[in-house]
Amino acid sequence: MESQILVIFGASGDLAKRKLIPALYELSQQDLLPEKFAVLGVSRSALSDEDFRERMTEFLPESRESSPDIETFLQRLSYFTLQTGEAAEYERLKRHLEELSAATGIPPNTIYYLATPPSLYEVIPRCLNAVRLCHSDEGFRRLIVEKPFGTDLSSAQDLNRNLLSYFREDQIYRIDHYLGKETVQNMLVTRFANGIFEPIWNLNFIHHVEITSAESLGVEGRGGYYDHSGALRDMVQSHLLQLVGLVAMEPPVVVEADAIRNEVLKVFQSLRPITPDQITKHVVRGQYIASTIKGDPVKGYRDEEGVNPLSRTETFVALKFFIDSWRWGGVPFYIRTGKKLPARVAEVVIHFKRPPRHLFQYEENALTNYNQLILRVQPDEGIVLKFGLKVPGPGFRVQTVNMDFHYDDLGNSHLPSAYARLLLDCMQGDATLFARGDAVEEAWKFIQPISDVFASGLDMPIYGYPAGTWGPEEAEGIVDDANWRYPCKNLSNDGTYCEL
């Protein structure tokens, strides 16, 4: 891997110390960083190099005193104070980068990470371009952008136009940490490396597809931000539609970034629009209300700090939609996400069609509807196939059994964090797991009509659900001829016990 410098804008914020620096340390421990590698933190706060290093230790696994590895790693970090919104300041930054490059022997290979508020997503690239820091004949320049990629279709299009004014598309890495999770990436291998799955991954054998992303926490002090976002824009438009793209895509010609992202784009272009008159039948939104969880009282969403007491922002949303393609014509897809649900779980469930006749007697806990393939994203990462087998003894009584794989079973294999994986991919120039601008816009085209109806409030109820439950009962009504799966924290023993 080429030697390089990572410049983190907004380096004094939570994202840097909670996610980015721990991820870089993880890569360092796995000996995956380039031999010559430096991190330059950039922010408005007045900090020395040593101040910055000390701040960045908060979420590292050990203290500087107890681990020489941490001290060695921290020496790669330095800091530069910059008034981020002032263009004149960037000449100073350019000179500092040149000095850092000369001191470390690192060529002008630079990644800029925008760990800043979205209001600076256009400002920083423009200022970098003004001092000729966007392109280089001698090395690469890349830009990592955190979500949200716009707050609606119009702002997403504006953001793309602005970014492309200063960087080429192949330089831009729109990061979605969901795509860095090992099980998400394994979806491609599960499908395309196994002859037992790909031939049946279509409308002839699959009854419906279900995707759940549940959080047991509430807004956790982010009420002011969340009340202007909601579950639809915060989760569905980005994380969950990206999962849909990987589940539903056609096989790429080669395992290469553009080939894979081209197929994801085709999925988004094939999403059947949900018209305003269909929304109440295909979409259910909810908001958690006060309840008691494990004997402790829990506040409702409208009582959270920073939330409008009359807020109609959804903390839960469930959608039913279709993909109009040869592979998926007529197969319903269901998405569900929410806060203050019983467990923190993210998974994809493939529900296969049931046999045309039920010949046998089923146990009470037997899967009488559909065989399921469960791809668990988090926690207890792994894969489970559910199918029926005969109970020992007389007769033909059937019960459901699990055939499962857990990443923990690999023993000494290291399961990288999502940010570590994605940072490494960007360092290597691999954009496979990063969202492309055209796909972001297509996702917004699908979400925008729903968001508009939510904003108008016309004929679109918002249902209350007690904190600690699986959302409003009305969400059951959008699933045809089946039920939602209610997952547990533990993956494979969910029929025996459920740890919530």
Side-chain angles (χ1 to χ4, degrees):
M1 195 191 318
E2 295 182 70
S3 300
Q4 54 195 275
I5 297 173
L6 173 64
V7 180
I8 302 176
F9 288 94
S12 61
D14 274 0
L15 179 61
K17 68 179 180 181
R18 288 177 179 271
K19 298 293 184 181
L20 303 185
I21 299 302
L24 291 171
Y25 180 69
E26 179 184 343
L27 294 175
S28 176
Q29 289 297 94
Q30 297 296 314
D31 199 24
L32 293 173
L33 291 178
E35 181 179 353
K36 294 182 179 179
F37 178 74
V39 178
L40 179 63
V42 175
S43 190
R44 292 178 296 179
S45 303
L47 299 173
S48 66
D49 289 351
E50 186 56 30
D51 292 336
F52 178 61
R53 290 167 185 156
E54 188 60 35
R55 281 195 180 193
M56 293 301 107
T57 62
E58 182 177 353
F59 291 91
L60 295 184
E62 299 175 90
S63 68
R64 300 175 70 172
E65 294 75 17
S66 64
S67 172
D69 289 344
I70 286 181
E71 187 59 40
T72 302
F73 167 75
L74 290 174
Q75 293 308 307
R76 295 178 182 263
L77 277 57
S78 59
Y79 186 81
F80 186 78
T81 303
L82 180 80
Q83 299 303 313
T84 319
E86 298 181 15
E89 291 271 288
Y90 285 74
E91 280 290 355
R92 291 177 48 244
L93 175 62
K94 182 181 181 182
R95 289 194 299 271
H96 187 81
L97 283 171
E98 290 170 349
E99 293 168 1
L100 181 60
S101 180
T104 57
I106 299 176
N109 295 323
T110 312
I111 297 174
Y112 306 107
Y113 198 118
L114 302 188
T116 65
S119 58
L120 293 173
Y121 286 1
E122 191 273 335
V123 174
I124 293 173
R126 171 166 48 81
C127 293
L128 289 172
N129 182 67
V131 295
R132 301 172 301 284
L133 284 176
C134 292
H135 303 281
S136 173
D137 295 330
E138 301 176 16
F140 63 76
R141 303 282 170 80
R142 297 172 185 147
L143 181 74
I144 301 180
V145 183
E146 277 276 347
K147 65 179 283 283
F149 312 127
T151 56
D152 56 20
L153 176 59
S154 176
S155 61
Q157 291 170 331
D158 288 343
L159 175 62
N160 281 339
R161 279 193 296 268
N162 288 329
L163 293 177
L164 292 171
S165 298
Y166 314 114
F167 288 87
R168 301 185 308 271
E169 179 62 46
D170 63 359
Q171 293 178 283
I172 302 170
Y173 290 70
R174 297 168 186 82
I175 192 167
D176 183 339
H177 71 272
Y178 250 55
L179 299 188
K181 297 181 184 296
E182 196 70 26
T183 313
V184 173
Q185 301 153 38
N186 201 39
M187 288 183 198
L188 299 181
V189 177
T190 300
R191 286 187 57 189
F192 302 131
N194 296 291
I196 61 174
F197 288 126
E198 180 54 24
I200 61 173
W201 207 269
N202 56 56
L203 59 89
N204 296 317
F205 298 94
I206 293 177
H207 183 271
H208 67 282
V209 177
E210 173 188 347
I211 299 177
T212 292
S213 178
E215 298 180 57
S216 57
L217 298 177
V219 293
E220 302 303 305
R222 298 169 62 242
Y225 159 77
Y226 194 87
D227 209 38
H228 292 90
S229 174
L232 184 72
R233 291 192 289 185
D234 188 49
M235 290 295 295
V236 176
Q237 186 278 329
S238 53
H239 301 324
L240 299 189
L241 283 186
Q242 289 293 333
L243 291 184
V244 170
L246 294 177
V247 170
M249 63 182 278
E250 294 297 318
V253 177
V254 293
V255 181
E256 185 268 332
D258 274 341
I260 291 174
R261 298 197 295 177
N262 286 342
E263 299 303 332
V264 171
L265 174 64
K266 291 175 186 176
V267 173
F268 293 165
Q269 291 171 330
S270 302
L271 293 172
R272 183 189 300 175
I274 300 176
T275 60
D277 62 303
Q278 296 174 324
I279 285 179
T280 54
K281 297 179 182 178
H282 287 248
V283 183
V284 171
R285 62 175 180 162
Q287 187 184 94
Y288 66 83
I289 59 177
S291 181
T292 300
I293 300 177
K294 296 182 179 179
D296 298 323
V298 177
K299 291 190 295 186
Y301 174 72
R302 293 181 180 181
D303 297 321
E304 300 277 12
E305 182 180 353
V307 174
N308 183 341
L310 299 177
S311 173
R312 292 180 63 80
T313 298
E314 76 285 353
T315 62
F316 173 96
V317 65
L319 280 75
K320 171 187 175 182
F321 60 93
F322 295 89
I323 298 172
D324 289 330
S325 68
W326 285 91
R327 180 181 293 267
W328 296 110
V331 176
F333 280 68
Y334 300 98
I335 281 178
R336 171 180 57 169
T337 183
K339 291 186 175 294
K340 285 292 184 187
L341 301 183
R344 174 181 172 266
V345 171
E347 64 180 25
V348 176
V349 186
I350 308 298
H351 296 260
F352 294 99
K353 289 183 176 180
R354 57 193 170 195
R357 290 187 59 207
H358 287 300
L359 295 176
F360 308 111
Q361 176 186 356
Y362 288 86
E363 295 285 284
E364 184 177 350
N365 66 338
L367 185 69
T368 56
N369 286 330
Y370 309 100
N371 299 118
Q372 298 173 355
L373 178 66
I374 301 160
L375 305 164
R376 174 63 66 86
V377 176
Q378 66 180 20
D380 196 14
E381 292 89 345
I383 299 174
V384 166
L385 179 64
K386 288 179 172 286
F387 55 97
L389 280 182
K390 179 183 177 296
V391 177
F396 288 93
R397 293 181 297 122
V398 178
Q399 74 174 31
T400 300
V401 298
N402 293 339
M403 186 161 60
D404 60 312
F405 160 76
H406 299 255
Y407 277 99
D408 287 345
D409 295 339
L410 294 179
N412 295 328
S413 296
H414 175 69
L415 191 62
S417 69
Y419 273 99
R421 170 62 192 269
L422 293 173
L423 281 169
L424 180 62
D425 282 357
C426 183
M427 292 176 194
Q428 296 174 330
D430 183 355
T432 303
L433 299 174
F434 293 82
R436 203 168 63 188
D438 49 5
V440 170
E441 292 187 19
E442 288 297 330
W444 269 117
K445 287 178 184 178
F446 175 70
I447 292 296
Q448 192 62 54
I450 305 171
S451 181
D452 289 343
V453 170
F454 282 14
S456 71
L458 299 176
D459 300 322
M460 188 64 205
I462 182 164
Y463 300 100
Y465 63 94
T469 64
W470 279 106
E473 294 179 359
E474 288 75 10
E476 293 289 344
I478 66 172
V479 182
D480 298 326
D481 193 28
N483 298 299
W484 291 102
R485 171 177 140 86
Y486 294 105
C488 303
K489 177 181 176 182
N490 53 285
L491 175 57
S492 58
N493 291 320
D494 57 350
T496 306
Y497 74 96
C498 192
E499 182 184 348
L500 299 177

